[in-house]
Amino acid sequence: MKKRTKSVLLSALAATFFTTQSVLASMTPVGLWKTIDEDTNEAKSYVRIVENNGVLSGTIETLLNKDKQNAVCSQCSGDKKDQPILGMTIIDNVIDSGDGSWEDGQILDPNNGKTYTVRLTTQDAGEKLEVRGYIGFFYRNQYWLRVE
């Protein structure tokens, strides 16, 4: 094989590898997400999802409504009762299900203090996140948009 052909082939393989790696990285829920209210279609907050030893958690990093900067979770129970919503961990113990979804953890709705079982599924090449909170057969979906 000619030297130039090898060089072109290696460049193409490297580009394919790095493109595949970035696509796979974008398919995980890890990152910063803009939450959207499903009733008003307005952006509410930024939630950062991180992975630690294969387990995902998510924390409210920014509240977009200036009037809610000092809001507390008055309807929460336990250690989150009356704690600031800004900086609160609302997603816990989510694990990779192996089928493209992350699930079996919990998500807290700080507006009503309720905790739901959660499933996270990336869509649109990782640019959108379907967040499904459910209790038994009853569920509700939100769609969050990737910020980074």
Side-chain angles (χ1 to χ4, degrees):
M1 192 180 282
K2 292 183 182 177
K3 194 173 196 174
R4 179 164 161 69
T5 305
K6 281 183 182 179
S7 176
V8 170
L9 180 60
L10 287 175
S11 294
L13 285 172
T16 301
F17 173 78
F18 289 113
T19 300
T20 301
Q21 293 301 311
S22 64
V23 167
L24 290 175
S26 71
M27 297 305 285
T28 174
V30 172
L32 185 64
W33 297 92
K34 184 186 328 182
T35 68
I36 308 294
D37 185 295
E38 69 270 20
D39 295 326
T40 65
N41 211 27
E42 292 181 16
K44 296 188 303 187
S45 65
Y46 290 139
V47 173
R48 179 159 314 269
I49 298 177
V50 297
E51 181 178 353
N52 188 8
N53 294 321
V55 179
L56 300 183
S57 63
T59 303
I60 297 176
E61 197 168 274
T62 305
L63 292 171
L64 298 174
N65 183 334
K66 301 287 184 216
D67 296 332
K68 294 191 177 185
Q69 295 302 306
N70 296 316
V72 296
C73 194
S74 59
Q75 295 186 31
C76 288
S77 60
D79 63 345
K80 293 187 178 176
K81 174 83 172 143
D82 295 325
Q83 294 302 307
I85 293 173
L86 184 61
M88 183 175 283
T89 297
I90 61 166
I91 298 173
D92 278 314
N93 301 315
V94 180
I95 57 173
D96 188 349
S97 66
D99 66 359
S101 294
W102 293 70
E103 55 192 351
D104 293 332
Q106 300 81 36
I107 186 167
L108 168 71
D109 182 343
N111 292 320
N112 62 22
K114 293 182 181 179
T115 301
Y116 305 89
T117 302
V118 69
R119 182 178 75 196
L120 307 173
T121 307
T122 57
Q123 299 177 347
D124 297 340
E127 294 301 309
K128 185 188 288 187
L129 184 65
E130 179 187 65
V131 180
R132 175 172 284 187
Y134 56 96
I135 297 176
F137 295 109
F138 300 100
Y139 66 89
R140 136 181 160 201
N141 288 345
Q142 285 189 347
Y143 295 91
W144 297 358
L145 304 176
R146 187 180 292 279
V147 176
E148 62 180 51

